[in-house]
Amino acid sequence: MKICFKGNLEGIEKGIDIMSEYLDFTIAPEGMEVHISQVEESILHVSLEQNVAHIQFQKKIHFFRGLGLLLENIRTKNQFTITETPQFDTNGVMLDCSRNGVMTTESIEKMVRHMALMGLNLIMLYTEDTYEVEGEPYFGYLRGRYTQEELRKCDEYAELFGIEMVPCIQTLAHLQTFLRWRVTAPIKESADILLVGEEKTYDFIKKIIKAASAPFKSNRIHIGMDEAFLLGRGKYLDLHGLRNRYDIMNEHLHEVMKITRELDLKPMIWSDMYFRISSKSGGYYDPNVEFSKDLIEAIPNDIQFVYWDYYHENEEHYKTFLNKHFQLNSNPVFAGGIWTWNGVTPHYKKTFATTNAALSACKSEGVKEVFATMWGDNGQETNVFSSLLGMQLYAEHGYSKKVDQERLKNRFKFCTGGNYDSFFDLGILDLPHNVDDIQQEFGQPDNPSKYLLWQDIMVGIFDKHVEGKNLSIFYSEAEELYQNHVELNPEWVELFKVNKALAAVLNIKSEIGNQLQTAYKEKNKKELEQIESEILPLLTNKVQELKELHRNQWMSTYKPFGWEVLDIRYGGVLSRIDTARYRLKEFLAGQLERLEELEEERLFVDPNISGSDRLGRMNLYNQIATVNPL
């Protein structure tokens, strides 16, 4: 289709040119007239009547959402009027680029285009040590760190659509991958925490803040400071003795903020440490937490707290904690979560339950800034683009008081080319229909797809959890389902091929440990021979296929650094299958009298699972693959 834009295109013309390459329109004088006008009121108005369209918008990002709404609806309607009121000043995403998956600049630009059509206007790249710092060769060494030029390029691209890029770094904890190097000894308190109170530490922090903020037009910066559980309990304790953690935390914050003020930056931090320090139980989500007057008065008045909560499904809970943040003299930012850290697949059931409750509360309590985190805990096994449906949910919350489900589905199809039901089904591998998936109010979902993939065949730590569950039937059905989704999502074939291959592996692997042990104890050599000669070779092929598809997916999204971790994990699975066959052959040939691995009774990893239909959860590879030190 041809479009002729009428009005002032200053600031949006380049963005329009880019969108014309990806959407089905060209810019031509003889095209349909689209009159555009920027207004002061926070409103988005899109209409079509008698083949003449209008887009009224306040912010640049609103225009690009409006353009998407126009192109989406013009396909099926001769005339329409759409009016939306933005619910938030800032609504966007935080992409984890520190858990091994460092997105390529091309992938970031692709994400930005989807965000623009959705109407999301904030993007953070969470980079613990994955950005270039002059004079610090070990900072991000062999981790795929971004160069200053790469980050500048991404920032300039995002700005074309009115999307603000904000650096998101760490200035206290979560620096384990950097602090592993011996050169960091003078500024290291413990495995992942900087040694506060030292001049060398603040020289280093100034260096990284300057480096992190330099490529970006925004003067905002997220400086982290979350989950510093052992603050003051390592080298600091040796130097200064036992001190109140709040005093240490506050002194450090004030020192870091001297740096941000000098650099004319507006900082924000995760809020949990102030809650943990003030709670008698030491918890972040303690409803009885109370802040002393001295604590409140000592907090810098130019810091912004980020309230992060990915767990609760009750709107009243979020209202309570938002108001506790207001008590800290802060205009808080809310950070929710798209559950991409559950294993190899996202968990959309949990994502929708928590997001709907949280964002409804934010709108009710007048919170004006929100963003969705997409963490990649324990190796970034889940591809970041599987989170697009969660991003669309955030976007639709951002332009309506209540989300309309049918509109959400249509918007998602237009903005991404993906099918709503297909993307939601990406998470079903952790939701077998024959087991209980009901969670506690503050619950984390079970993740059998992860532990069944990585656990051992001969010494399966989680065999007891899946005993008698007949999960192979479920995973066989899932394999067929994903084949249908492959056909429904031509733009996202890789996502569904990986899930299909994973289901094929789990179809065998979910049962094989218990099958082996049962056949061994029953002295059923015929079944053991079948497992060794037929089932395990088939499993080897299925794992190899999954690894190759997963690798292709990774290399299309991330830099190659970090994939070696998943290569090692897949290699471990394949090697242990080979050893299982070796052990079975020796036993069946009479060279071994017994297989000790199969004689030991299997126990529940979590005794609370015993007697329930729950499958249990474990998200750490080293506690899945073996009980021995890894």
Side-chain angles (χ1 to χ4, degrees):
M1 105 178 256
K2 296 179 179 180
I3 294 177
C4 178
F5 289 98
K6 301 284 187 178
N8 185 4
L9 298 181
E10 185 178 356
I12 59 174
E13 190 168 13
K14 289 184 179 179
I16 292 173
D17 288 340
I18 291 171
M19 284 301 181
S20 69
E21 297 176 22
Y22 294 95
L23 303 173
D24 188 21
F25 76 92
T26 55
I27 303 167
E30 69 275 16
M32 182 188 72
E33 291 186 6
V34 177
H35 296 263
I36 65 172
S37 57
Q38 194 165 9
V39 297
E40 293 185 6
E41 185 182 4
S42 181
I43 198 167
L44 173 59
H45 181 83
V46 182
S47 64
L48 175 68
E49 187 174 356
Q50 296 181 348
N51 208 36
V52 176
H54 291 82
I55 301 176
Q56 288 183 326
F57 63 98
Q58 182 193 47
K59 297 180 179 180
K60 189 188 296 188
I61 188 63
H62 300 158
F63 167 78
F64 286 101
R65 178 176 169 92
L67 177 62
L69 287 167
L70 174 66
L71 295 172
E72 174 190 349
N73 285 277
I74 210 168
R75 297 172 174 179
T76 57
K77 300 171 185 176
N78 293 323
Q79 65 178 53
F80 56 84
T81 297
I82 300 170
T83 301
E84 295 183 333
T85 302
Q87 303 294 302
F88 304 112
D89 295 334
T90 301
N91 186 3
V93 300
M94 186 222 75
L95 308 173
D96 188 349
C97 295
S98 290
R99 278 13 183 266
N100 301 350
V102 179
M103 294 177 69
T104 63
T105 56
E106 293 80 9
S107 291
I108 292 170
E109 289 176 359
K110 181 178 180 180
M111 186 68 81
V112 163
R113 292 192 296 273
H114 291 302
M115 290 176 62
L117 291 175
M118 293 176 184
L120 298 171
N121 66 343
L122 171 74
I123 183 169
M124 294 181 177
L125 302 181
Y126 176 75
T127 48
E128 292 172 354
D129 65 337
T130 48
Y131 57 99
E132 183 180 49
V133 178
E134 187 177 357
E136 295 290 343
Y138 285 95
F139 195 80
Y141 174 56
L142 297 178
R143 294 254 293 143
R145 62 191 168 205
Y146 290 112
T147 66
Q148 293 278 303
E149 183 55 34
E150 283 176 320
L151 292 174
R152 189 173 292 110
K153 177 185 175 186
C154 291
D155 181 63
E156 290 172 352
Y157 194 85
E159 199 274 334
L160 294 175
F161 304 99
I163 297 173
E164 179 186 19
M165 286 200 82
V166 174
C168 185
I169 65 171
Q170 289 290 357
T171 57
L172 180 58
H174 285 294
L175 287 167
Q176 186 169 3
T177 52
F178 173 59
L179 294 175
R180 65 173 288 173
W181 302 109
R182 290 184 179 181
V183 296
T184 67
I187 61 171
K188 175 180 178 179
E189 174 176 16
S190 56
D192 71 336
I193 299 177
L194 291 172
L195 180 60
V196 306
E198 298 293 318
E199 185 177 349
K200 287 184 178 179
T201 300
Y202 296 105
D203 289 342
F204 168 74
I205 289 174
K206 183 174 182 179
K207 194 183 293 186
I208 65 173
I209 289 177
K210 286 179 71 174
S213 59
F216 303 107
K217 295 179 179 66
S218 175
N219 68 343
R220 303 178 78 191
I221 185 170
H222 196 322
I223 56 175
M225 298 199 187
D226 61 311
E227 297 184 324
F229 300 119
L230 297 178
L231 177 65
R233 301 299 187 264
K235 188 175 179 181
Y236 186 95
L237 180 64
D238 296 335
L239 294 173
H240 303 285
L242 186 63
R243 294 189 64 210
N244 184 292
R245 282 192 305 162
Y246 166 71
D247 292 333
I248 303 172
M249 181 80 190
N250 214 43
E251 288 169 9
H252 180 65
L253 176 59
H254 278 272
E255 287 299 317
V256 175
M257 289 195 65
K258 287 179 184 178
I259 297 169
T260 58
R261 292 186 192 111
E262 180 185 336
L263 298 174
D264 197 27
L265 299 172
K266 295 180 179 179
M268 64 184 84
I269 64 170
W270 306 109
S271 67
D272 60 294
M273 287 301 292
Y274 280 91
F275 278 75
R276 296 180 198 278
I277 290 168
S278 300
S279 167
K280 291 180 180 179
S281 66
Y284 186 16
Y285 308 114
D286 177 3
N288 299 313
V289 67
E290 294 183 1
F291 306 111
S292 69
K293 181 180 178 182
D294 290 343
L295 182 146
I296 294 172
E297 290 178 350
I299 294 173
N301 58 15
D302 52 347
I303 190 69
Q304 193 172 21
F305 284 108
V306 181
Y307 162 38
W308 57 272
D309 193 336
Y310 327 129
Y311 308 103
H312 296 88
E313 301 178 15
N314 184 303
E315 185 176 336
E316 291 304 314
H317 165 87
Y318 292 100
K319 289 181 179 179
T320 296
F321 278 85
L322 287 169
N323 280 288
K324 288 185 182 295
H325 280 77
F326 290 133
Q327 293 173 24
L328 297 176
N329 297 329
S330 168
N331 185 21
V333 181
F334 175 75
I338 300 171
W339 276 73
T340 52
W341 58 90
N342 214 46
V344 185
T345 61
H347 199 294
Y348 272 120
K349 183 175 181 181
K350 188 68 176 180
T351 298
F352 269 63
T354 56
T355 298
N356 287 331
L359 297 191
S360 295
C362 287
K363 285 181 270 191
S364 173
E365 301 305 302
V367 172
K368 289 301 180 183
E369 295 193 287
V370 302
F371 65 88
T373 62
M374 283 99 91
W375 297 107
D377 295 13
N378 200 239
Q380 193 74 60
E381 292 167 344
T382 301
N383 187 274
V384 67
F385 285 104
S386 69
S387 65
L388 285 169
L389 178 56
M391 292 167 56
Q392 192 77 58
L393 180 62
Y394 263 73
E396 299 318 301
H397 266 290
Y399 291 89
S400 58
K401 290 186 177 180
K402 189 174 182 180
V403 173
D404 179 271
Q405 191 73 3
E406 225 24 65
R407 192 175 191 202
L408 169 62
K409 292 181 178 183
N410 293 333
R411 289 252 69 216
F412 181 65
K413 179 65 177 177
F414 177 80
C415 293
T416 70
N419 176 274
Y420 172 96
D421 294 319
S422 297
F423 269 72
F424 200 93
D425 281 349
L426 283 171
I428 65 167
L429 295 182
D430 288 323
L431 291 167
H433 47 65
N434 59 328
V435 298
D436 183 9
D437 67 300
I438 297 173
Q439 297 296 312
Q440 299 296 321
E441 168 58 19
F442 178 29
Q444 300 195 58
D446 293 346
N447 64 342
S449 68
K450 174 157 183 167
Y451 65 67
L452 289 173
L453 172 61
W454 302 128
Q455 80 159 357
D456 197 75
I457 288 179
M458 296 294 280
V459 286
I461 299 171
F462 289 87
D463 282 346
K464 194 70 175 177
H465 287 239
V466 298
E467 185 179 39
K469 296 290 197 303
N470 297 317
L471 295 184
S472 62
I473 298 172
F474 168 75
Y475 288 123
S476 176
E477 293 171 351
E479 189 179 355
E480 293 181 22
L481 179 67
Y482 287 128
Q483 179 57 45
N484 294 333
H485 289 327
V486 165
E487 296 164 8
L488 285 172
N489 296 269
E491 295 181 41
W492 302 105
V493 166
E494 283 187 344
L495 289 179
F496 295 97
K497 281 189 173 181
V498 168
N499 263 44
K500 179 189 174 189
L502 176 57
V505 169
L506 298 181
N507 180 15
I508 299 172
K509 211 159 181 287
S510 61
E511 307 286 351
I512 193 67
N514 286 313
Q515 286 176 350
L516 268 171
Q517 193 170 44
T518 299
Y520 175 75
K521 288 184 176 180
E522 293 178 353
K523 299 180 180 180
N524 188 340
K525 289 195 173 184
K526 183 177 180 181
E527 185 172 356
L528 290 176
E529 287 173 356
Q530 183 183 24
I531 290 172
E532 187 281 318
S533 63
E534 298 178 24
I535 297 177
L536 291 184
L538 177 62
L539 179 58
T540 295
N541 293 337
K542 297 293 184 184
V543 172
Q544 185 67 34
E545 181 182 2
L546 171 60
K547 185 198 79 169
E548 291 172 5
L549 287 167
H550 199 172
R551 183 174 60 196
N552 291 343
Q553 183 192 74
W554 179 285
M555 297 301 173
S556 71
T557 305
Y558 306 108
K559 296 185 179 188
F561 303 94
W563 172 256
E564 71 274 11
V565 171
L566 297 185
D567 238 349
I568 290 166
R569 292 180 186 179
Y570 281 117
V573 172
L574 290 167
S575 183
R576 288 297 294 161
I577 295 172
D578 180 66
T579 296
R581 294 189 67 195
Y582 162 76
R583 295 281 289 161
L584 285 168
K585 283 178 181 177
E586 286 201 324
F587 175 73
L588 292 168
Q591 295 172 304
L592 292 175
E593 292 185 5
R594 59 197 184 104
L595 294 171
E596 292 179 77
E597 309 99 304
L598 299 180
E599 292 192 351
E600 191 158 348
E601 181 185 356
R602 299 298 187 252
L603 305 175
F604 286 100
V605 175
D606 180 358
N608 294 320
I609 300 297
S610 177
S612 76
D613 287 329
R614 294 283 304 282
L615 286 165
R617 174 182 180 80
M618 175 53 67
N619 203 29
L620 297 173
Y621 169 79
N622 65 344
Q623 294 186 34
I624 293 171
T626 176
V627 297
N628 290 303
L630 184 63

